[in-house]
Amino acid sequence: MIARDRCTSCNATLAEAGSTRFPCPVCEHEIQRCYRCREQSITYTCRNCGFGGP
Ligand SMILES: [Zn+2]
Ligand SMILES: [Zn+2]
């Protein structure tokens, strides 16, 4: 089991249901957000290109 799925915003492990992932709109690097960050609309920053968004 590989524990590499971590929230892009807070770095929490994405073990819980409700987390989401989607490609960066700029470079298509995968963005991953945990349930908490999604609920609170914490902004993310792409680790690959630095793009940030809600
Ligand atoms: Zn998070
Ligand atoms: Zn990107």
Side-chain angles (χ1 to χ4, degrees), residues 24-29 31 46-51:
C24 171
V26 176
C27 71
E28 299 188 344
H29 180 80
I31 307 290
C46 176
R47 289 179 180 173
N48 191 49
C49 72
F51 175 81

Side-chain angles (χ1 to χ4, degrees), residues 1 6 9 16 21 24-26 32-33 40-41 43 46 52 54:
M1 189 171 179
R6 287 181 176 272
S9 297
E16 302 172 40
R21 63 191 67 195
C24 171
V26 176
Q32 299 177 98
R33 301 178 81 197
Q40 298 182 2
S41 300
T43 56
C46 176

Side-chain angles (χ1 to χ4, degrees), residues 7 10 34 37:
C7 174
C10 72
C34 67
C37 287

